[in-house]
Amino acid sequence: MSKYKLFVRKKLLTLFAEAFFLFVFLLVALNVGSVHLDFFQVFNSIFHRTGELASSIIWEIRLVRVLSAVIVGLSLAIAGTVMQCVLNNPLASPFTMGISHGAAFGAAFSIVVLKAGEIQNSASRALMISSPYKITAFAFIGSLLGVIVVIMLARLKGISPQSLILAGVAMGFLFMAGTTLLQFLASDTELAAIVFWTFGDLGRVSWKELGIMTGVTIPALIYIFANRWNYNALQSGEDVAKSLGVNTWKVRLTGMFFASLITSVSVAFVGIIGFIGLLGPHMVRGFVGEDHRFLIPSSALWGAILLIFSDALSRIVISPVILPVGIITAFMGTPLFLYILVKGEK
Amino acid sequence: MSLLQVESLGFSYGAKEVLKGINLEVEEGEILSILGENGVGKTTLLKCINSILKPQKGRILLDGSDLSKLRGKEIARRIAYVPQFSERNSIRVFEAVLLGRKPYINWDVSSKDIEITEKVIKTMGLQEVGFRSLSQLSGGELQKVMLARALAQEPQILLLDEPTSNLDLRNQMEVMKLIAEISKARKITILVVMHDINLSVRFSHRFVLMKKGKIFARGGHEIITEENIQEVYGIKVIISYVAEIPVIIPLNG
């Protein structure tokens, strides 16, 4: 067998291993929760949806939560992978570039000003999103606002990749300030809803919202995967990519557009969960390398695994209190961020 | 008809006019050196020929068809470009060379793409480092990888920007010899921007001397005269022959 085939086979093996781990983590996460269910009950409930308590817990709470973790985890990881490539910066991600904050601001705006959500006095679903499409649309507009400013700075002023991150962080601060302003204007119940976006939480997603997330995310992921060779070309520099026939400006713009889209649909329903876009791609680069044919699916799977893991951890670390999952991912992500920063300085 | 025709080409970066009324014909299979001072527009000319930059005036004909009317992919199948500075990222040599097949790839690489990549790697003598990351290569190896990527495009025309500028003496000769061999064996036309005028004189068939965004002179070895070089570079030189190789020696003052 040629060396190249072996080389590719190794990467495929990594992908299979990740898919297997994802499956295992899925099963484990279904078994974690405040109500104790044994493995047989869990297994049985997945295949027999009845009105019994175990079945309700699995179907109404745990399954939708775990599947949301998968969709959100892979979305954020892929958004990070794409942004790192098109912005030519290893520190780029939805969180560090302020896109998540822009989306959260957009969502909060639609709640307070446009009354797209309402609060109910039910413990399990404190927030009812009355018009999920409106919230998603505004989250997307918010995230695009941030992206447009950053891209304009890059295009018109030609700022360096390093400064680009600072511009993203600045936009993040601006959106946070905007969200805080909305909190002052909000009623008590709306306030609860907004706070929800500043601490990501997977626990409030319904099947309908999961459906919307999946429906938006899957086509975007296909588009991104179809562009994997363009991303590979971009990695070799602007001129080389152009000389290979790549419309670099278009690839960069559409890359940012779809990265923002999948970020904002996630943020609209689960809030800001930071660092998955950094952790996902960087933790798999050592195994699959920089080739986007493998890097994209591999980061996606790893992002999903990470988020399932973090979410399960957030439920058991000081059980029965459920921590916002964003806290767990921040604890993992910040050291990585600093590590990349220091490594890049050399 | 010439393989490549540049007709009254003009290019400006904003208000700064870089190229003015460039006319040039390039014949199939020749090695053409573009010489001139720094900032005279040599790299810009190469980038225009590859459609990396879009010229504001004039046109470029490739085999008689207007370059601006061809799709990026079509140009990339016929013209390859190696920039002066290459990204030293951590992709593997094989992946870097395989990228040259990009203009031919629709959904995924074919076995033909792999085959061509393997062959080019062998031609360039890169088998040993085939799966090393670019960041671990020496300057000479990196330059060969970039040439290999360009060759994997199976171009008719190869554009090289300062292919020897970051290399030591041995690697300079090695890379130039490789370029000459490739040109001969594959009938690839080569346009090369060079600073090392002595190296250029040894390996090129024809020359373009540029001055202030215009072509000062073009032709064969007969245009490499002391007077012309003095005009173009603004420095007195003498041309001497050492072991039958012409050597251009700059003089003081």
Side-chain angles (χ1 to χ4, degrees):
Chain A
M1 198 185 333
S2 75
K3 264 184 165 177
Y4 176 71
K5 274 191 184 152
L6 273 173
F7 181 66
V8 166
R9 187 159 292 188
K10 245 188 240 166
K11 298 183 181 203
L12 288 175
L13 219 63
T14 310
L15 284 182
F16 280 122
E18 282 183 82
F20 175 74
F21 279 127
L22 177 58
F23 184 69
V24 171
F25 272 83
L26 257 168
L27 288 183
V28 171
L30 284 174
N31 284 281
V32 175
S34 42
V35 177
H36 180 78
L37 300 173
D38 64 37
F39 188 76
F40 177 75
Q41 279 175 300
V42 171
F43 193 77
N44 207 27
S45 309
I46 294 172
F47 295 102
H48 303 99
R49 191 174 184 178
T50 60
E52 287 168 41
L53 180 67
S55 179
S56 298
I57 288 172
I58 291 298
W59 275 90
E60 300 304 323
I61 299 173
R62 291 191 194 169
L63 201 54
V64 64
R65 180 176 190 131
V66 169
L67 291 179
S68 302
V70 172
I71 287 289
V72 171
L74 62 86
S75 295
L76 293 176
I78 287 182
T81 311
V82 170
M83 291 170 67
Q84 282 151 28
C85 176
V86 301
L87 297 175
N88 187 23
N89 192 318
L91 291 173
S93 77
F95 186 69
T96 49
M97 295 300 294
I99 292 179
S100 299
H101 303 93
F105 171 75
F109 182 83
S110 74
I111 296 227
V112 175
V113 182
L114 304 166
K115 310 292 176 199
E118 57 182 288
I119 308 302
Q120 292 187 342
N121 291 329
S122 134
S124 66
R125 298 184 58 77
L127 174 76
M128 261 310 281
I129 292 171
S130 48
S131 43
Y133 298 104
K134 203 190 257 176
I135 291 187
T136 310
F138 274 85
F140 186 44
I141 291 168
S143 71
L144 275 186
L145 280 178
V147 169
I148 287 167
V149 170
V150 171
I151 287 180
M152 295 249 284
L153 282 173
R155 179 73 170 178
L156 299 178
K157 293 289 164 200
I159 64 173
S160 69
Q162 287 76 19
S163 313
L164 209 59
I165 289 292
L166 291 178
V169 170
M171 288 309 290
F173 280 134
L174 180 66
F175 285 123
M176 275 197 275
T179 310
T180 312
L181 178 68
L182 286 173
Q183 288 176 5
F184 275 104
L185 304 175
S187 66
D188 282 358
T189 48
E190 284 165 347
L191 183 63
I194 296 170
V195 168
F196 158 73
W197 269 281
T198 42
F199 295 101
D201 184 359
L202 291 157
R204 296 190 175 97
V205 180
S206 69
W207 282 104
K208 184 187 173 195
E209 289 152 9
L210 178 61
I212 297 171
M213 277 201 279
T214 313
V216 174
T217 302
I218 298 294
L221 297 189
I222 292 171
Y223 177 86
I224 287 168
F225 189 65
N227 271 283
R228 61 204 183 285
W229 280 101
N230 288 331
Y231 300 138
N232 281 347
L234 271 188
Q235 248 172 354
S236 295
E238 179 82 13
D239 287 346
V240 169
K242 277 185 183 164
S243 79
L244 289 167
V246 176
N247 184 344
T248 53
W249 184 232
K250 184 183 145 201
V251 171
R252 285 184 206 276
L253 269 187
T254 56
M256 285 305 285
F257 180 86
F258 282 104
S260 308
L261 180 67
I262 56 182
T263 301
S264 41
V265 71
S266 290
V267 171
F269 299 122
V270 304
I272 298 176
I273 298 175
F275 295 108
I276 295 291
L278 274 187
L279 288 160
H282 285 299
M283 287 174 83
V284 298
R285 279 201 159 95
F287 297 98
V288 296
E290 301 283 340
D291 185 342
H292 284 79
R293 285 183 291 164
F294 306 104
L295 184 59
I296 290 171
S298 185
S299 331
L301 289 168
W302 193 245
I305 292 171
L306 276 176
L307 197 52
I308 291 181
F309 171 77
S310 308
D311 183 51
L313 202 61
S314 76
R315 280 184 279 163
I316 54 179
V317 72
I318 46 170
S319 180
V321 177
I322 299 176
L323 282 177
V325 66
I327 292 176
I328 309 277
T329 58
F331 273 125
M332 294 192 290
T334 312
L336 178 77
F337 184 90
L338 294 176
Y339 171 74
I340 300 167
L341 196 66
V342 171
K343 208 176 90 178
E345 284 288 309
K346 279 182 195 159
Chain B
M1 192 176 52
S2 307
L3 176 62
L4 187 76
Q5 275 176 293
V6 179
E7 291 178 353
S8 44
L9 187 81
F11 184 88
S12 321
Y13 287 107
K16 197 181 161 223
E17 209 178 357
V18 182
L19 297 176
K20 301 166 209 164
I22 301 278
N23 287 298
L24 184 65
E25 285 103 42
V26 186
E27 304 301 331
E28 201 175 336
E30 70 177 353
I31 300 180
L32 179 89
S33 272
I34 302 169
L35 302 171
E37 280 186 307
N38 286 332
V40 79
K42 304 184 297 286
T43 298
T44 307
L45 177 58
L46 275 196
K47 286 187 179 178
C48 284
I49 291 173
N50 200 14
S51 239
I52 292 174
L53 295 173
K54 310 280 181 227
Q56 290 93 352
K57 286 179 198 156
R59 58 178 191 161
I60 297 167
L61 300 176
L62 176 63
D63 256 344
S65 44
D66 192 336
L67 210 61
S68 63
K69 303 220 162 64
L70 294 178
R71 284 165 51 224
K73 217 177 191 178
E74 288 166 336
I75 297 172
R77 287 178 183 182
R78 298 166 75 176
I79 305 179
Y81 170 71
V82 178
Q84 185 179 357
F85 301 104
S86 303
E87 291 279 329
R88 203 182 253 285
N89 52 31
S90 53
I91 63 170
R92 304 303 163 113
V93 170
F94 197 101
E95 294 170 322
V97 178
L98 184 62
L99 190 60
R101 300 303 297 165
K102 167 85 181 68
Y104 301 88
I105 293 168
N106 284 321
W107 179 251
D108 209 354
V109 284
S110 65
S111 51
K112 190 185 165 204
D113 295 322
I114 305 289
E115 219 172 87
I116 288 169
T117 304
E118 279 169 347
K119 232 184 243 169
V120 171
I121 285 179
K122 213 171 160 192
T123 313
M124 302 302 286
L126 291 166
Q127 304 101 306
E128 294 288 310
V129 295
F131 291 90
R132 236 178 256 172
S133 107
L134 296 190
S135 55
Q136 297 171 321
L137 300 182
S138 71
E141 286 165 338
L142 184 67
Q143 193 60 7
K144 284 180 202 164
V145 171
M146 294 304 137
L147 276 171
R149 193 206 60 234
L151 287 181
Q153 282 174 250
E154 300 191 305
Q156 289 172 284
I157 300 175
L158 190 52
L159 308 173
L160 307 173
D161 196 352
E162 299 275 350
T164 58
S165 63
N166 305 310
L167 304 181
D168 61 29
L169 211 54
R170 188 175 64 87
N171 274 305
Q172 284 183 9
M173 281 306 282
E174 235 181 84
V175 165
M176 286 313 290
K177 272 188 197 161
L178 262 172
I179 290 169
E181 276 168 30
I182 290 160
S183 158
K184 212 170 174 185
R186 304 188 176 210
K187 301 232 177 338
I188 295 178
T189 308
I190 293 174
L191 266 78
V192 53
V193 167
M194 294 278 274
H195 272 308
D196 189 330
I197 188 164
N198 286 313
L199 213 51
S200 154
V201 167
R202 282 178 75 170
F203 287 96
S204 314
H205 303 122
R206 289 207 308 141
F207 304 87
V208 168
L209 300 180
M210 285 182 72
K211 192 182 175 186
K212 292 179 182 162
K214 287 182 180 162
I215 290 183
F216 175 77
R218 57 190 168 123
H221 283 83
E222 74 279 358
I223 70 161
I224 304 298
T225 62
E226 290 167 0
E227 295 75 34
N228 278 349
I229 291 171
Q230 193 176 331
E231 265 309 309
V232 169
Y233 288 97
I235 182 173
K236 261 191 166 24
V237 297
I238 51 167
I239 299 180
S240 184
Y241 283 80
V242 180
E244 290 178 27
I245 298 165
V247 183
I248 292 122
I249 303 159
L251 299 173
N252 292 332

